[in-house]
Amino acid sequence: MARRAVFSTTAHVPTAKGYGTDPKLLDAYKPGELWPLTFTPEQRRSATVLCDLIIPADDTSPNASAVGVVDFLDEWISAPYKPQQHDRKTVLDGLQWLDRESAQRFAKTFAALNEVQQKTICDDICHAAQAKPQFAEAAKFFARYRDLTAGGFYTTPQGREDLQYVGNTPLTSFEGPPLEVLKKVGLA
């Protein structure tokens, strides 16, 4: 029995509703050019302080905010995609929690606290497994915020340099791994 191909005589009409087209990935965009940004000035101040507590400046690299991590975070949580919208709620609720906790403990916003006070609050939420039950949700926020901060920082040229990352660099030749590396993994 021969098979016959079945063809439709009508044009395909997409039925899914989306949120628009993806950006042109080879173009350079300024923050807020693709969609409206989310952070208020106060949220931006708290986001900056928290980024810089997570990745402070040191002898080899600048702090997170100096390389645009706060702009990255604002752009990330403002994006119309579902994962970013989930992060938007997590981040905004977390920043609000930081301000409430700061007001309760020190009668100031998180950004207005001194570094010792800021670290006191962060110490209660920086390890989810060790956080007290009343800090469980805030610890989940901190874990996600730390991941986003690190992801934003270590994908910048300064972050890659801080990691001493040498990939994506063309070599004129490759002689293979050094002998000491081969010995270490039992191949020499």
Side-chain angles (χ1 to χ4, degrees):
M1 174 187 252
R3 288 190 153 165
R4 286 185 18 190
V6 178
F7 297 99
S8 172
T9 59
T10 59
H12 172 71
V13 179
T15 57
K17 291 184 180 180
Y19 36 74
T21 59
D22 283 335
K24 294 176 186 170
L25 298 179
L26 296 179
D27 289 353
Y29 295 95
K30 295 177 182 151
E33 194 172 340
L34 295 174
W35 38 71
L37 298 179
T38 299
F39 283 154
T40 65
E42 185 58 39
Q43 289 166 333
R44 182 170 275 279
R45 282 190 288 278
S46 293
T48 300
V49 167
L50 188 54
C51 279
D52 292 345
L53 286 171
I54 293 169
I55 301 181
D58 60 22
D59 294 338
T60 61
S61 63
N63 58 28
S65 67
V67 297
V69 173
V70 177
D71 291 333
F72 160 74
L73 289 169
D74 198 1
E75 191 79 36
W76 180 269
I77 68 166
S78 301
Y81 312 111
K82 284 186 181 183
Q84 285 79 0
Q85 289 301 294
H86 182 266
D87 286 341
R88 176 185 179 151
K89 178 169 176 32
T90 300
V91 168
L92 295 180
D93 289 353
L95 293 175
Q96 187 177 42
W97 180 88
L98 284 173
D99 278 341
R100 277 196 320 269
E101 191 68 16
S102 299
Q104 184 178 345
R105 294 187 195 190
F106 304 109
K108 296 180 183 176
T109 64
F110 184 73
L113 299 178
N114 65 47
E115 188 174 332
V116 171
Q117 293 168 325
Q118 292 163 344
K119 287 182 177 181
T120 298
I121 292 172
C122 289
D123 284 346
D124 286 336
I125 61 174
C126 66
H127 299 290
Q130 299 169 1
K132 294 177 182 175
Q134 69 264 32
F135 299 133
E137 285 303 309
K140 289 177 189 175
F141 148 72
F142 190 89
R144 184 63 183 141
Y145 195 89
R146 179 178 48 223
D147 289 349
L148 289 170
T149 298
F153 181 81
Y154 289 113
T155 54
T156 65
Q158 297 88 340
R160 287 190 301 274
E161 186 176 322
D162 188 51
L163 288 172
Q164 300 177 5
Y165 179 73
V166 293
N168 296 338
T169 303
L171 302 173
T172 55
S173 68
F174 180 66
E175 307 304 324
L179 182 59
E180 61 270 12
V181 172
L182 292 173
K183 286 179 181 177
K184 188 171 186 171
V185 297
L187 296 174

